[in-house]
Amino acid sequence: MPLAQAQALIDAHGFATLTDDRLRVSHLPLLLKRDEGPLGTLYGHFARANPHWRALDGRRVLAVFQGPHAYVSPRWYAARPAVPTWNYAIVHARGIVERLDDAATLVSMDALVARYEPDLLDDATLMSEAYRRRLLAGAVGLRIRLDELQGKAKLGQHRSREDRNGVLAGLGNSADPLARQLGGYTKRYLEDTLETEGEDPP
């Protein structure tokens, strides 16, 4: 997966599974700053009550970002025989954890809120300065400077145009919202990558 598309997947699916070398796991939203470092830098925070953060400062971690995924029926292919499969897009991001001080943590928390609900920070009835400061007492901010970013998109790129169109139709007509989401993602991904490679997109 090209770097720009891996970064775009993180932007769109920012809820990560974070694990360390001892296989301890936490789940938390992370925000990617693309302009910090060659691969970007992730920002987020732990709840202070989560003991995982205590062992992470200076350690290398893996953050897994799961994009859309769904079952693909062999009935959707033009070519026969075919087998059922599962299509997906995913990104593995690795880097070293750095603890943030209170000021940087507050900036990071505000940036995360602004990413998902920009006008919330302007609502003093919900997010007053005093209330934000109290929230800060229960959070531990972190930064992960990425040194490795691997994305994989298993979307049937290698199949014929007829097969790709059949899968897009099957996903688009599915009752499963995740399948429809995968269909939209697949169409955009194929348009971007196949056109870049000089092939005909669906």
Side-chain angles (χ1 to χ4, degrees), residues 9 11 17 23 26 35 37 45 60-61 68-69 85 90 107 126-127 131 142 159 162 171 186 190 201:
L9 187 144
D11 288 341
T17 300
L23 299 183
S26 290
D35 58 347
H45 59 274
R60 196 160 188 257
V61 294
H69 59 93
T85 191
I90 197 165
V107 169
L126 287 173
M127 296 290 287
Y131 183 65
L142 74 148
R159 302 196 72 95
E162 291 76 15
L171 293 171
T186 300
L190 293 177

Side-chain angles (χ1 to χ4, degrees), residues 29-132:
L30 295 173
L31 188 67
L32 176 67
K33 296 292 186 74
R34 298 191 190 200
D35 58 347
E36 294 187 19
L39 301 177
T41 298
L42 296 169
Y43 284 85
H45 59 274
F46 281 93
R48 190 170 291 275
N50 181 347
H52 194 182
W53 64 268
R54 298 181 183 278
L56 290 185
D57 195 24
R59 300 187 81 94
R60 196 160 188 257
V61 294
L62 165 67
V64 178
F65 297 88
Q66 175 70 65
H69 59 93
Y71 173 79
V72 173
S73 171
R75 299 177 188 275
W76 298 343
Y77 296 129
R80 304 292 175 87
V83 297
T85 191
W86 202 276
N87 282 4
Y88 61 89
I90 197 165
V91 169
H92 292 174
R94 292 179 172 87
I96 303 297
V97 173
E98 300 173 15
R99 287 264 307 279
L100 299 178
D101 61 22
D102 283 353
T105 297
L106 188 58
V107 169
S108 173
M109 291 170 66
D110 285 351
L112 193 62
V113 171
R115 170 69 177 81
Y116 293 101
E117 195 171 2
D119 60 346
L120 184 59
L121 294 174
D122 298 325
D123 188 343
T125 62
L126 287 173
M127 296 290 287
S128 69
E129 182 68 21
Y131 183 65
R132 287 166 57 240

